[in-house]
Amino acid sequence: MSAVAQAIPAQTIPRPTPGITVTTQLAGQSGLLPAGALGLLVSLHRAVEPERQKRLAARELRQAHFDQGGAPDFRSDTRDIREGDWTVAPIPAALQDRRVEITGPTDPKMVINALNSGAKVFMADFEDSTSPTWRNVLAGQQTMRAAVRGDLDFTAPAANGKPAKHYTLRPFDEQAVLIVRPRGWHLDEKHVLVDGQPIAGGLFDAAVFAFHNARTLMDNDRGPYFYLPKLQSMEEAALWETALSHIEGMLCLPHGQIKVTVLIETLPAVFEMDEILHALRERIVGLNCGRWDYIFSYLKTFRRHADKVLPERGQVTMTQPFLKAYSELLIKTCHRRGAHAMGGMAAQIPINHDAAANEQAMARVRADKLREVTAGHDGTWVAHPALIPVARAIFDEHMPTPNQHQVLRRDVQVSGEELIAPCSGTVTRTGFENNVEVCVRYLAAWLDGNGCVPIHNLMEDAATAEISRSQIWQWLHAGSQHLDDGTAIDIALLESTLRALPARLGDTSALPGSGRITQAIGLLDQLSRAEELADFLTLPAYRQID
């Protein structure tokens, strides 16, 4: 039994009830899901699930409004919150300086390398960079528990002429601060049923992590800390407040001990940043520009608006006016409330075989991080350890203080129209084909259990794949769209591109998920032809794993 479980009075956590069923059994599972953990899950599900379903239904109503020509806007019923003079709770010492954060999945090698990387923070991701097979979910929790204990290690076997390599953690005070990202409200954990219903994946992730690690983290002034994804409203933030307060009560933690950072990665949420901060004001420490999901959300929100079709992904950069407005409004909002304003992800990975191409990629990273730090961001994200010194050098030069809360950006005046204004650009044949390739290759890997995939020198996860997938659908269904050479973007173009893809990929034996390429092509074809844009790629794909 973990140290946390030993520290919890027996009467605090109910015994598991006949209402909970774990549908799949794997080795080591009982150690991760003892009676106390199952009891916590039952209690938490019953406290949160009815409201979660209401929030998901509210999403559907909101999207229906957008499909009928509506658009997000600032709420009139929360004006007092936006105009009020209030701040969030003080930020813990461990989170005062977050100038460079690295993110990645929860496998042992990634976790060790990330914690040892020299970044200020490592976000261990149970969401967009993890394929949620039951084995992956449990293995991720085992890895988290070992990392928090400090005894995580990993040996990579000898391969391709390279000797075996052993990985261990550096001393605790040399490690990045650990923050865990649970799954979003829309995702179920189908392997755990409470009262016959699947538990929310995010509740499972957060509760099991806290059950095993909260006391150790608290004793070391390290949390527990979470990144909360894909919120659309203050009510969804308030639901997380309910859930985390419930966990704290069940685990005998002080109220507000669990701290959170919220990703602003949906278009509706950018209109409710003050409200989200207010709903979580006793535990929130910042907001993050989740740029890739934000672009995906823009596409989904305006999926039926022919006047808001975006150009190909490579042209939708943070210098585009609607993304610049989003970033700067986030900075202004956070600093007014005493919270961090975190920048977005640099998805580039080193190009070791081409020095010139690698330097071009690193120059793009430097320009992006310079834009962020001079705008007033308090930190940034990278996807690969090699980018940490690149990003850190920029922030060290321009941010000598731990953060930039003193940069209030009173000059920023952003209207609702600016936040939803589309950007101009084109769709090239190469851009269309790249979207198809990224979707298929990522889906194949995801279906095979890998949620973080390098493709064309970028680290792709579910968010970037969603951009590609939703763009394909919108180009096919919103008005009459054409490539820049005049070719109609229609089902015939999709069919020919899908048919040509296997030959374009060539020998796929070395690609992640190579055995799932045909399955992935079929799923993308089905989703692209459908009359309705699926809310999330991972929902139909989840039915095809385990």
Side-chain angles (χ1 to χ4, degrees):
M1 185 178 292
S2 72
V4 171
Q6 290 173 337
I8 299 168
Q11 70 272 19
T12 303
I13 296 181
R15 293 178 179 275
T17 71
I20 188 165
T21 304
V22 182
T23 62
T24 304
Q25 300 295 319
L26 296 176
Q29 181 170 312
S30 59
L32 281 170
L33 300 176
L38 293 176
L40 174 59
L41 292 173
V42 170
S43 176
L44 187 59
H45 173 88
R46 290 173 176 169
V48 171
E49 183 62 16
E51 183 63 19
R52 181 175 82 108
Q53 292 303 324
K54 290 180 182 177
R55 292 301 106 217
L56 294 178
R59 287 186 180 186
E60 292 183 4
L61 289 174
R62 188 182 301 118
Q63 184 60 55
H65 170 66
F66 300 151
D67 287 346
Q68 293 165 7
D73 202 352
F74 296 102
R75 291 170 58 161
S76 59
D77 63 327
T78 57
R79 183 183 302 274
D80 288 347
I81 293 176
R82 291 196 302 277
E83 296 180 354
D85 186 16
W86 52 268
T87 58
V88 302
I91 296 175
L95 295 176
Q96 285 287 333
D97 188 336
R98 298 172 62 174
R99 64 190 59 224
V100 182
E101 302 187 345
I102 188 170
T103 77
T106 58
D107 60 277
K109 181 181 175 182
M110 174 70 209
V111 171
I112 293 170
N113 284 341
L115 290 173
N116 291 348
S117 67
K120 289 291 185 180
V121 167
F122 165 50
M123 189 199 78
D125 190 14
F126 282 93
E127 200 217 16
D128 275 355
S129 61
T130 291
S131 171
T133 65
W134 187 230
R135 187 175 302 278
N136 282 351
V137 168
L138 293 184
Q141 292 286 355
Q142 289 174 326
T143 300
M144 293 297 99
R145 187 167 60 169
V148 171
R149 286 197 311 254
D151 58 9
L152 178 65
D153 66 351
F154 174 74
T155 299
N160 300 322
K162 296 182 180 179
K165 186 175 180 180
H166 190 63
Y167 298 82
T168 59
L169 289 171
R170 291 179 177 173
F172 177 77
D173 59 359
E174 297 179 16
Q175 294 176 27
V177 174
L178 176 65
I179 303 182
V180 167
R181 178 162 68 173
R183 283 167 279 182
W185 281 132
H186 62 290
L187 295 171
D188 292 339
E189 177 44 73
K190 65 183 177 183
H191 303 93
V192 180
L193 307 179
V194 179
D195 303 329
Q197 298 174 306
I199 194 170
L203 292 185
F204 180 91
D205 301 336
V208 174
F209 176 79
F211 180 85
H212 289 291
N213 305 299
R215 187 70 57 180
T216 302
L217 291 166
M218 184 175 73
D219 290 346
N220 286 284
D221 296 323
R222 288 293 183 94
Y225 304 140
F226 292 110
Y227 253 111
L228 303 181
K230 294 184 175 58
L231 300 185
Q232 291 195 12
S233 66
M234 65 177 290
E235 287 81 7
E236 292 185 17
L239 187 57
W240 267 115
E241 176 60 38
T242 298
L244 297 174
S245 294
H246 192 94
I247 291 171
E248 287 170 337
M250 297 295 289
L251 299 184
C252 297
L253 302 173
H255 178 70
Q257 179 64 38
I258 297 173
K259 301 297 184 184
V260 301
T261 306
V262 169
L263 289 134
I264 300 299
E265 52 185 355
T266 69
L267 190 59
V270 80
F271 291 89
E272 298 191 32
M273 290 191 290
D274 277 303
E275 292 90 334
I276 288 169
L277 287 165
H278 190 266
L280 290 159
R281 62 193 178 278
E282 295 179 350
R283 69 177 76 253
I284 195 165
V285 298
L287 303 178
N288 177 292
C289 280
R291 64 172 83 175
W292 307 124
D293 264 307
Y294 188 78
I295 295 169
F296 162 51
S297 179
Y298 184 100
L299 293 161
K300 182 163 61 173
T301 298
F302 295 124
R303 59 193 180 186
R304 300 228 176 248
H305 294 232
D307 63 331
K308 289 191 169 55
V309 175
L310 297 181
E312 63 186 46
R313 171 181 156 188
Q315 297 175 29
V316 187
T317 67
M318 291 302 292
T319 59
Q320 294 284 4
F322 82 102
L323 291 173
K324 180 175 182 289
Y326 145 67
S327 170
E328 293 184 344
L329 182 59
L330 184 144
I331 295 166
K332 178 181 182 178
T333 304
C334 287
H335 289 178
R336 181 185 176 199
R337 306 303 184 184
H340 289 323
M342 301 301 298
M345 169 67 76
Q348 289 85 354
I349 56 180
I351 308 172
N352 296 323
H353 60 278
D354 188 332
N358 187 65
E359 176 50 35
Q360 289 178 350
M362 294 305 104
R364 287 192 291 271
V365 173
R366 286 190 289 269
D368 183 52
K369 301 315 166 191
L370 180 62
R371 175 193 58 79
E372 289 181 327
V373 72
T374 54
H377 280 292
D378 301 296
T380 192
W381 272 14
V382 298
H384 193 281
L387 271 61
I388 292 171
V390 178
R392 186 173 56 220
I394 299 293
F395 270 79
D396 286 350
E397 180 181 355
H398 297 275
M399 192 177 79
T401 50
N403 53 65
Q404 300 195 87
H405 289 196
Q406 74 280 4
V407 180
L408 297 177
R409 293 306 308 267
R410 293 192 178 96
D411 60 302
V412 173
Q413 302 295 326
V414 174
S415 67
E417 290 76 14
E418 289 175 289
L419 289 169
I420 65 174
C423 58
S424 60
T426 60
V427 182
T428 65
R429 186 174 297 273
T430 298
F432 184 86
E433 291 174 348
N434 186 69
N435 275 21
V436 171
E437 180 183 346
V438 166
C439 283
V440 168
R441 289 180 58 180
Y442 182 80
L443 258 177
W446 197 93
L447 292 167
D448 204 44
N450 184 353
C452 192
V453 187
I455 301 175
H456 298 318
N457 306 312
L458 294 174
M459 193 63 75
E460 305 283 357
D461 68 0
T464 53
E466 288 283 33
I467 295 173
S468 297
R469 189 265 306 188
S470 56
Q471 283 199 312
I472 292 169
W473 187 94
Q474 191 183 43
W475 293 335
L476 289 169
H477 294 271
S480 179
Q481 306 299 323
H482 293 78
L483 301 180
D484 64 343
D485 64 6
T487 302
I489 302 179
D490 54 17
I491 295 299
L493 178 63
L494 175 68
E495 288 177 344
S496 64
T497 305
L498 288 172
R499 282 197 305 269
L501 183 60
R504 178 180 172 184
L505 294 178
D507 181 8
T508 62
S509 59
L511 297 180
S514 59
R516 303 271 196 159
I517 295 291
T518 300
Q519 182 182 0
I521 287 174
L523 183 54
L524 177 60
D525 186 39
Q526 173 189 338
L527 291 171
S528 300
R529 291 172 180 269
E531 286 303 311
E532 295 292 332
L533 175 68
D535 279 344
F536 293 95
L537 177 70
T538 47
L539 294 177
Y542 189 44
R543 294 193 287 269
Q544 299 189 26
I545 62 174
D546 286 343

